[in-house]
Amino acid sequence: MEQRKSSTPRRATLAKRATRVRLLHRNSTGLMAVYEQDGAETGAMPRTLVFESDTIRTRTTNYPENWQSLSDAELSRLRKRTLE
């Protein structure tokens, strides 16, 4: 398998042990990973839902259990609510 070296430096992600991951593509932010983060990992007890792209990192503890079944538009609205 061919491996390509990227000229872009890799940046650290917030995830150490992501349990569920979903990828979104939005015109405004590009490719965005959405994943749950275990609260024990961050020192906080509740689980958090993290929205992460090359330029944006936001998280919320207020999200529905069925977040994976939400549409891309619904997840985008949920992310925007974290910015308010």
Side-chain angles (χ1 to χ4, degrees), residues 51-83:
F51 298 86
E52 185 174 335
S53 73
D54 285 341
T55 58
I56 297 171
R57 286 184 188 168
T58 58
R59 61 179 121 196
T60 183
T61 57
N62 187 15
Y63 62 97
E65 182 68 28
N66 68 335
W67 67 269
Q68 283 190 301
S69 64
L70 297 177
S71 70
D72 287 359
E74 290 168 323
L75 275 176
S76 183
R77 282 192 297 275
L78 181 61
R79 184 191 66 83
K80 288 178 183 176
R81 283 198 303 263
T82 67
L83 303 175

Side-chain angles (χ1 to χ4, degrees), residues 24-32 72-74 76 79-80:
L24 297 178
H25 185 272
R26 306 300 297 165
N27 290 335
S28 60
T29 58
L31 192 60
M32 177 173 283
D72 287 359
E74 290 168 323
S76 183
R79 184 191 66 83
K80 288 178 183 176

Side-chain angles (χ1 to χ4, degrees), residues 16-50:
K16 301 231 185 319
R17 198 173 59 170
T19 55
R20 298 184 220 171
V21 179
R22 170 122 173 247
L23 294 177
L24 297 178
H25 185 272
R26 306 300 297 165
N27 290 335
S28 60
T29 58
L31 192 60
M32 177 173 283
V34 182
Y35 57 88
E36 286 185 306
Q37 187 175 36
D38 189 350
E41 203 176 290
T42 60
M45 289 317 294
R47 297 181 69 77
T48 58
L49 189 64
V50 179

